[in-house]
Amino acid sequence: MVTGGNKGIGYAIVKELCAKFEGRVYLTARDEGRGRDTVNTLKKVLKERLGIGTEAGLGLSPSFHQLDIDDQKSIDAFAAYLKNTYGGLDVLVNNAAIAYKVFFITNLIHLFDLSLVCHVSSSCGHLSEIRGDEPAASQLRAKLAAETLTEEELCGLMEQFVAAAKDGTFRQAGWPASTYVVSKVGVSALTRIQQRALDSDPRPDLIVNSCHPGYVNTDMTSHKGPLSIEQGAVCPSHLALLPPDITEPKGAYLWHDKSVVDWTTKKPAPV
């Protein structure tokens, strides 16, 4: 399942998974018409360019389901569909550009078996991007990097940012002047929290990672990124297709070249 799959990096991830994943791949989008049009286009691409058949049941043809992760009814409807149809979900690529939906993935994990999660983060999601006024920024970084940080505490920090942004005190509180940065840092921190929780789960191969896909030529970057959407899909697809019984990466932050980056120290030059 790929969220926000009707264009950009999400579209390229769906295409890559259809070529390599031995199962059913779901492209999801908020707009049903656009989503279905994209699926029909992708089926033609897979058949004409890659030689992949589109017959039902092969597992190499993309399927569509409407999903708006800002709408709880939409989330519940898709979760119920997956549970009733397949009994669970193997892999989730959380690609949709969102402000901060901490319980979206948590709810899915609680609803049914979910083995692999890849959060599509950003170079902006590195902890070093929390750089408001010191020493408040240093204190925030320490809180976000704490091995004891919980989802509730992370939500509380995000709520503090929203409040500080509203009253104009975010800099003094240590936050940067970017809601995008804060949201992506939140996603990266959530990845670590979720993996710690799953480490104690008896089910095997429960893995959550996040990645920076690179500066990609998409609508979001105003088409200024030097990388193609196919290049942007490399690391997310790699994480979605991790083999069984691996020991790492788990709860990690990866760069677009699939290398594991220390989230708490200096990050590489963004590309």
Side-chain angles (χ1 to χ4, degrees), residues 11-33:
Y11 172 84
I13 293 171
V14 171
K15 184 168 66 173
E16 183 76 1
L17 294 181
C18 281
K20 296 181 177 180
F21 180 65
E22 296 182 2
R24 178 69 62 184
V25 179
Y26 272 87
L27 180 156
T28 69
R30 290 180 298 179
D31 186 281
E32 185 164 353

Side-chain angles (χ1 to χ4, degrees), residues 123-187:
S123 62
C124 293
H126 194 273
L127 185 62
S128 61
E129 292 295 326
I130 300 298
R131 48 189 181 191
D133 293 348
E134 297 291 353
S138 178
Q139 294 171 353
L140 278 176
R141 290 192 295 270
K143 290 178 181 178
L144 288 162
E147 293 295 327
T148 56
L149 183 68
T150 65
E151 286 189 15
E152 290 73 19
E153 290 169 340
L154 179 57
C155 283
L157 289 172
M158 297 295 107
E159 290 167 356
Q160 289 175 26
F161 167 71
V162 172
K166 286 181 177 179
D167 64 23
T169 62
F170 59 93
R171 280 289 191 188
Q172 299 94 306
W175 297 105
S178 170
T179 55
Y180 181 77
V181 165
V182 175
S183 70
K184 288 301 186 181
V185 169
V187 167

Side-chain angles (χ1 to χ4, degrees), residues 247-270:
T247 57
E248 59 180 22
K250 287 186 176 182
Y253 175 80
L254 279 74
W255 214 238
H256 63 88
D257 61 0
K258 300 186 287 188
S259 62
V260 176
V261 173
D262 189 336
W263 186 64
T264 63
T265 60
K266 185 178 180 180
K267 69 179 182 180

Side-chain angles (χ1 to χ4, degrees), residues 29-93:
R30 290 180 298 179
D31 186 281
E32 185 164 353
R34 292 177 183 175
R36 292 193 182 280
D37 287 345
T38 302
V39 164
N40 290 333
T41 299
L42 185 52
K43 285 180 179 180
K44 294 178 182 178
V45 169
L46 292 169
K47 186 174 184 179
E48 295 171 5
R49 298 184 185 178
L50 303 179
I52 294 175
T54 59
E55 295 84 357
L58 285 181
L60 296 174
S61 174
S63 299
F64 174 76
H65 200 288
Q66 191 277 339
L67 177 66
D68 181 354
I69 58 177
D70 282 324
D71 182 349
Q72 189 60 49
K73 290 183 178 179
S74 176
I75 295 171
D76 292 343
F78 188 35
Y81 168 79
L82 289 172
K83 189 172 183 66
N84 293 334
T85 306
Y86 303 105
L89 177 67
D90 296 305
V91 181
L92 169 66
V93 180

